[in-house]
Amino acid sequence: MFKRLCVIGVGFMGGSFALAFRESFPNCEILGIDINPYAIDKAIQLGVIDKGSVQMNNLLLFKPDLIMLATPVGTFESIAKELSSLDLKDSLITDLGSVKGRLVYMLEEYLGENFVGGHPIAGTEKSGVENSNKDLFKGKRCILTPTQRTSPKALEKIKNMWVSLGALVEEMDPFLHDYVFGAVSHLPHAVAFALIDAIKNLSKDSVDLFKYPGGGFKDFTRIAGSDPIMWRDIFLENRENVLKAIEAFEMSLKNLKELIKSGNLQELTDYLLSAKNCREKIN
Amino acid sequence: MFKRLCVIGVGFMGGSFALAFRESFPNCEILGIDINPYAIDKAIQLGVIDKGSVQMNNLLLFKPDLIMLATPVGTFESIAKELSSLDLKDSLITDLGSVKGRLVYMLEEYLGENFVGGHPIAGTEKSGVENSNKDLFKGKRCILTPTQRTSPKALEKIKNMWVSLGALVEEMDPFLHDYVFGAVSHLPHAVAFALIDAIKNLSKDSVDLFKYPGGGFKDFTRIAGSDPIMWRDIFLENRENVLKAIEAFEMSLKNLKELIKSGNLQELTDYLLSAKNCREKIN
C-alpha cells in the first residue's frame, strides 16, 4: 500500500492523477512539486495535494514510496538527472508521458530498475490543475512499457496501482508504443493544429470562418485546444514516428484530392466507403 | 400553414426533417419519395412519413405545399428536371443540401422563383431513416441562400418554417456559402476520411492500429463514419472550394512538419499556441 505520493508537475494530468490516487489510497499524503508556485497554491487550495514545493530536493525529506512524473516529456531528462542525484532507492518512479521509446531507456539510465514507463490513454484538451478530474482514468487503458531491466516487483506494484485507479493495464514495447501512438494520437493532434492554421489562413477580410463552427468542425478540432507545450514536446520527442505518420497521411490526402479532382465516381466512393468501414471497427 | 409535405429522399436527413416538421405542423400529411422501397417501408413503419412512393409523378396527385429535397446533392439536377416536367406551381421547394453555389442557380433554372436554397448546419455521422432525430435542427443554424430571382414570399415562408422547427435562420450568398463550408465542414470531412486511410496504411501485419482508438482519435475521426455517397457528391459539387481548402491545409501541415523536423522550439510553440487561441474562439 502506498503512503506517500510525490507528483512532479501539478497541471491537469498530475492533478487528475493525485485526485484519483487519493480516492484509491485515502490515507496517503501527497506532495506536489512544480516550478510554478501559483499552481502549487491552487492545488493545495483545491485539496489536490497536501503540500507543495518548487524545490526538487524537498523530496528527500518526504521519502515518497511513489513518484509520478507529470510534466511535459521535454523536461524528463533534466528532472531525471536531478532525481538521480538524490537518494531515492526506496521510491518507485513512473510517469504519465505520451512518449515512451528512447525516453524510457534514458529514464532507466538515470533512475534504474525502479522506474516503470507508463502512459494512460486518457486526457482532454483541458489544461491546468483547476480542471483536474478524479475519474479521468476509470475504464481507460493504461499502457506500461517495462524493459528487460525493469524490476518485476516494481512493475507488479505499478500495475496494481493503476488497477486500483480503475484503469485497464496493458504492456507494450516502448518503441512499438511510439509507433502506435505516433499514428493514432500524435498524428490526429498534428492534423487538428494544422487544420485550425488552415482555417485561419482561409479566413478573408470579409469572412471570419471561425464564426461557422458547425458541420463537424467543432468536434474535429477540439483537440487543437490542447496544451501547446505538452504537444510541442510530444511532437519533438516522438519526431521520427510523427513525421512518418504525417507523411503517410499526406499521401492519403493527396490520393483523395486526386480522386476529387478527376471526379472518378467509383474510386472516390470506394475510398470513402473503405474509410467509413475502418472507422466503424472502432465504434 | 403547411398541410402537405413531400420529402424526396427518406434517409437520416429527410427522416429527421419529416419528424421535426410533424412536431411543428401536427396536422400535416407527409409523403416520402425514395428510389429505395425498403427505406419507404421502414419510414412508414416508424411513423416518419404517412405514405410513400418510388415514383416522382405521385407528387402530382398529392399536391404538396412544400417539397423538401433530401437526397445527396449529386442527384439534384436529375430530380429538378423531373420535377420541372410536373405542374407544381403551387408548391414551395427547398432543400437540405450541403452545397449551394451554382447548384442553387441550376435548381432555379428548373424550378423557378418558388425554390429557396437551404442548408441546416446539423447532422451526424449517422445515416438511414432509422436514426432520424426530431430534435436535429433545434438551436442549430440554418443557412438560406436566396438569389435576386427568389420570390420574397417563398423566402419568408421557408424562413418561418425553419424558425418553427427551432432553427436559427441566416441568409448568405450561395457562392460565399460554398467557400465558407468548403473550409469549415467539407475540408474537415476530407481530412477525417484521409486520416482513416492513413491509419489503415500505417497498420502493419503485427499491429492493428484500429485497436488503439484513444488519444482523441475516436472523436476526431467520428465524421469519417458519414455516408460515403453523400460526401462523394459534396466533394464533387463543391470541388473547386474543397480543392482550394485542401491545398491551404496541405501548406499548413507542411509548415508544421518543417517545424517538427527542424526542432525550432519557439516557432513550433508559437504555431501550436496560435492554433489553440483560434480554436478557443469557437468554444
Side-chain angles (χ1 to χ4, degrees):
Chain A
M1 206 53 103
F2 296 103
K3 296 228 170 65
R4 283 176 306 282
L5 165 69
C6 172
V7 177
I8 301 178
V10 187
F12 171 74
M13 290 301 291
S16 297
F17 180 77
L19 288 177
F21 191 86
R22 198 193 292 283
E23 194 177 49
S24 292
F25 306 99
N27 298 320
C28 72
E29 195 182 9
I30 303 181
L31 168 70
I33 291 187
D34 203 292
I35 50 168
N36 176 0
Y38 299 107
I40 291 177
D41 287 350
K42 216 184 287 171
I44 294 175
Q45 268 171 35
L46 295 167
V48 171
I49 57 176
D50 300 306
K51 52 191 185 177
S53 172
V54 295
Q55 303 273 7
M56 197 72 82
N57 56 15
N58 277 346
L59 263 175
L60 265 185
L61 280 169
F62 186 66
K63 294 191 190 305
D65 36 33
L66 181 64
I67 297 173
M68 175 56 85
L69 299 184
T71 52
V73 290
T75 64
F76 278 14
E77 181 151 16
S78 68
I79 290 174
K81 209 180 269 184
E82 232 179 315
L83 288 176
S84 71
S85 71
L86 307 173
D87 175 22
L88 294 165
K89 63 177 182 306
D90 297 327
S91 304
L92 288 179
I93 308 179
T94 185
D95 76 304
L96 300 172
S98 297
V99 184
K100 305 265 74 82
R102 66 152 208 98
L103 266 186
V104 165
Y105 292 93
M106 180 274 290
L107 289 165
E108 272 185 349
E109 276 306 307
Y110 287 110
L111 306 171
E113 60 173 29
N114 280 340
F115 171 75
V116 181
H119 176 203
I121 313 304
T124 73
E125 74 285 11
K126 290 176 184 157
S127 46
V129 68
E130 64 278 16
N131 288 309
S132 299
N133 168 10
K134 74 176 175 56
D135 298 319
L136 187 65
F137 309 105
K138 282 185 184 144
K140 300 291 166 55
R141 254 197 269 227
C142 180
I143 313 285
L144 298 182
T145 57
T147 69
Q148 291 209 306
R149 191 168 164 187
T150 310
S151 145
K153 226 168 112 183
L155 174 60
E156 192 62 21
K157 284 187 183 169
I158 296 294
K159 208 188 279 186
N160 292 340
M161 180 274 288
W162 278 111
V163 170
S164 305
L165 268 59
L168 312 167
V169 175
E170 189 171 325
E171 287 181 34
M172 200 185 274
D173 172 82
F175 287 104
L176 178 61
H177 169 280
D178 283 5
Y179 180 79
V180 168
F181 290 93
V184 303
S185 171
H186 309 171
L187 171 62
H189 278 80
V191 165
F193 283 114
L195 192 57
I196 296 284
D197 189 70
I199 300 292
K200 190 178 68 185
N201 295 337
L202 285 163
S203 282
K204 294 168 168 173
D205 291 344
S206 51
V207 54
D208 177 1
L209 292 171
F210 291 100
K211 281 193 187 152
Y212 299 94
F217 180 59
K218 199 169 167 176
D219 280 0
F220 194 71
T221 55
R222 188 183 55 82
I223 57 178
S226 301
D227 184 27
I229 301 296
M230 173 178 154
W231 280 96
R232 177 197 70 189
D233 282 5
I234 291 172
F235 292 148
L236 294 179
E237 290 293 335
N238 197 22
R239 186 180 329 202
E240 211 178 300
N241 287 303
V242 170
L243 291 174
K244 214 178 291 171
I246 289 178
E247 276 153 23
F249 170 73
E250 285 176 327
M251 191 54 71
S252 291
L253 186 62
K254 185 167 170 281
N255 290 341
L256 177 56
K257 191 176 68 172
E258 294 307 322
L259 292 175
I260 294 172
K261 208 177 268 178
S262 70
N264 185 321
L265 283 186
Q266 193 53 55
E267 283 186 40
L268 180 53
T269 308
D270 290 347
Y271 184 105
L272 302 178
L273 188 60
S274 160
K276 177 186 167 69
N277 290 339
C278 284
R279 174 61 181 81
E280 278 169 359
K281 283 202 286 182
I282 62 170
N283 263 331
Chain B
M1 205 56 101
F2 296 102
K3 296 227 169 68
R4 283 176 307 281
L5 165 68
C6 172
V7 177
I8 302 179
V10 187
F12 170 73
M13 291 301 291
S16 297
F17 180 77
L19 288 178
F21 191 87
R22 197 192 293 283
E23 196 177 48
S24 293
F25 305 98
N27 296 321
C28 71
E29 195 183 7
I30 304 181
L31 167 70
I33 292 187
D34 203 293
I35 51 168
N36 177 359
Y38 300 106
I40 290 177
D41 288 350
K42 216 185 285 170
I44 294 176
Q45 267 170 37
L46 294 167
V48 172
I49 57 176
D50 299 305
K51 50 190 187 179
S53 172
V54 294
Q55 305 272 8
M56 197 71 83
N57 56 17
N58 277 345
L59 264 174
L60 265 185
L61 281 168
F62 186 66
K63 294 190 191 307
D65 36 33
L66 180 65
I67 298 173
M68 174 56 85
L69 299 184
T71 52
V73 290
T75 64
F76 277 15
E77 182 152 15
S78 67
I79 291 174
K81 209 180 270 185
E82 232 179 314
L83 289 177
S84 71
S85 70
L86 309 172
D87 175 23
L88 294 165
K89 63 176 182 305
D90 297 328
S91 304
L92 288 179
I93 309 179
T94 184
D95 75 305
L96 300 172
S98 298
V99 184
K100 305 264 77 80
R102 66 153 208 97
L103 267 185
V104 166
Y105 291 93
M106 180 274 290
L107 289 166
E108 273 184 349
E109 277 306 306
Y110 288 109
L111 306 172
E113 60 173 29
N114 280 339
F115 171 76
V116 181
H119 176 203
I121 312 305
T124 73
E125 74 286 10
K126 290 176 184 155
S127 46
V129 68
E130 64 277 16
N131 289 308
S132 299
N133 169 10
K134 74 176 176 56
D135 297 319
L136 186 65
F137 309 105
K138 283 187 183 143
K140 301 290 167 55
R141 254 196 269 225
C142 180
I143 313 285
L144 298 181
T145 56
T147 69
Q148 291 210 306
R149 191 168 164 185
T150 310
S151 142
K153 225 168 112 183
L155 173 61
E156 191 63 20
K157 283 187 183 169
I158 296 294
K159 208 188 279 186
N160 292 340
M161 181 274 290
W162 278 112
V163 170
S164 305
L165 268 59
L168 313 166
V169 175
E170 189 171 323
E171 287 181 34
M172 200 185 274
D173 173 82
F175 288 103
L176 178 61
H177 168 280
D178 283 5
Y179 180 80
V180 168
F181 290 93
V184 302
S185 171
H186 309 171
L187 172 62
H189 278 79
V191 165
F193 283 114
L195 192 57
I196 296 284
D197 189 70
I199 300 291
K200 189 178 68 184
N201 295 338
L202 284 163
S203 282
K204 294 167 166 173
D205 291 343
S206 52
V207 55
D208 177 2
L209 292 171
F210 292 99
K211 281 192 187 153
Y212 299 94
F217 179 59
K218 201 170 165 174
D219 279 1
F220 194 71
T221 56
R222 188 182 56 79
I223 57 178
S226 301
D227 183 28
I229 301 296
M230 174 177 155
W231 280 96
R232 177 197 71 189
D233 282 5
I234 291 171
F235 292 148
L236 294 179
E237 291 294 335
N238 197 22
R239 186 180 329 203
E240 210 177 302
N241 287 302
V242 170
L243 291 174
K244 215 180 290 172
I246 290 179
E247 276 153 24
F249 170 73
E250 286 176 326
M251 191 54 72
S252 290
L253 186 62
K254 186 166 170 283
N255 290 341
L256 177 56
K257 191 175 68 172
E258 294 306 323
L259 292 175
I260 294 173
K261 208 177 267 178
S262 70
N264 186 321
L265 283 186
Q266 192 53 55
E267 282 187 40
L268 181 53
T269 309
D270 289 347
Y271 184 105
L272 302 177
L273 189 61
S274 160
K276 179 187 165 68
N277 290 339
C278 283
R279 175 60 182 82
E280 278 169 358
K281 283 202 287 181
I282 62 169
N283 263 331

